[in-house]
Amino acid sequence: MNIVLLGAPGAGKGTQAEKLVDVHDIAHISTGNILRAAVKAETPLGLEAKSYMDAGELVPDSVVIGLVKERLEEEDTEKGFILDGFPRTATQAVALASELDKLGRGIDFAIAVKVSHDVIVERLSSRRLCRACGYIGNALDKNCPICGDVMYQRDDDTPETIRNRLEVYEKSTAPLIDYYRGADLLVEVDGEKDPDEVFIQIQKMLAH
Ligand code: ADP
Ligand code: ZN
């Protein structure tokens, strides 16, 4: 099963992606995670991406598209994959379609996780992550409930950057919902429910 996850920053894409990966044994391709790892390792890609990410802007299409193409050529994606945070622009969506076409594969579902503006701002401001295992929690978690390591706040989860990321989302990414609806691939879920309930909704829609 090949899935695209759509939704504003903070909609819960990462959380749902982890669950889907566990249950369906598919590859998780998070462009945000790949870019953050590159920033941390100070690779040329990371150095290029960092300023965009800190400002809440999109990393240029050419960079991100190249990254995803390479990732899709890795063998583990043949059993299925979930794209989390990609595509984020019409150009990326078109490039993805043509790349998959070339590989003789295609998207089975585009899942849109819907959450209101207010809830997103609230969630992102209090979001904390585990350095060691990637667990996504909030400001109430002093230590990771999974592995006990320290939790940290992402550099781009600050009020000003959050505002910009939301604007960028509305302008560049939200139109992809119509794109996938037009291709008859869209399923929509209410992302304001708790994560387990959202996951149940998703599982039901995928079973249809
Ligand atoms: P969120 O969905 O919470 O905003 P991500 O972890 O998906 O976070 O992405 C973090 C940042 O990485 C984005 O704000 C952007 O700068 C960059 N990024 C991730 N995916 C893409 C993409 N497909 N195209 C361009 N930039 C991206
Ligand atoms: Zn942890």
Side-chain angles (χ1 to χ4, degrees):
M1 186 156 44
N2 301 333
I3 299 172
V4 161
L5 257 185
L6 297 168
K13 298 188 297 293
T15 304
Q16 297 303 323
E18 294 292 349
K19 293 178 187 287
L20 284 162
V21 164
D22 280 349
V23 170
H24 296 281
D25 187 31
I26 50 183
H28 183 189
I29 309 178
S30 160
T31 44
N33 287 352
I34 296 171
L35 291 168
R36 272 186 294 281
V39 168
K40 199 169 161 206
E42 298 181 346
T43 64
L45 167 69
L47 295 176
E48 183 179 359
K50 185 173 173 26
S51 56
Y52 296 101
M53 295 174 76
D54 286 348
E57 295 292 337
L58 294 180
V59 174
D61 282 337
S62 57
V63 174
V64 186
I65 289 168
L67 236 163
V68 170
K69 276 190 185 172
E70 260 176 44
R71 184 67 185 85
L72 284 172
E73 276 159 24
E74 283 174 45
E75 216 174 77
D76 67 314
T77 64
E78 281 168 23
K79 62 186 179 185
F81 58 80
I82 178 145
L83 276 166
D84 162 11
F86 182 96
R88 254 179 161 89
T89 64
T91 306
Q92 292 178 15
V94 171
L96 173 64
S98 84
E99 177 67 11
L100 289 175
D101 208 40
K102 235 191 286 171
L103 296 170
R105 295 189 251 169
I107 299 293
D108 299 302
F109 297 99
I111 304 170
V113 184
K114 304 204 301 180
V115 176
S116 72
H117 214 284
D118 290 352
V119 170
I120 283 168
V121 173
E122 160 91 36
R123 279 187 189 173
L124 291 178
S125 329
S126 69
R127 178 161 72 180
R128 300 292 184 278
L129 300 105
C130 173
R131 265 196 208 291
C133 75
Y135 169 79
I136 306 166
N138 63 49
L140 298 174
D141 303 309
K142 289 295 165 241
N143 287 88
C144 174
I146 308 294
C147 77
D149 214 307
V150 273
M151 304 286 284
Y152 76 102
Q153 181 166 35
R154 262 170 54 172
D155 289 343
D156 57 352
D157 281 346
T158 60
E160 197 189 335
T161 306
I162 290 169
R163 226 174 299 123
N164 198 35
R165 282 158 66 203
L166 283 171
E167 271 174 35
V168 169
Y169 172 78
E170 287 305 332
K171 183 164 152 270
S172 303
T173 311
L176 297 183
I177 292 182
D178 282 334
Y179 170 88
Y180 285 110
R181 187 182 287 119
D184 213 16
L185 295 174
L186 188 73
V187 297
E188 294 179 277
V189 294
D190 176 2
E192 295 196 11
K193 299 257 164 46
D194 77 55
D196 290 333
E197 272 182 65
V198 177
F199 188 60
I200 290 168
Q201 284 184 62
I202 291 177
Q203 289 288 75
K204 278 189 192 150
M205 315 220 59
L206 299 189
H208 277 277

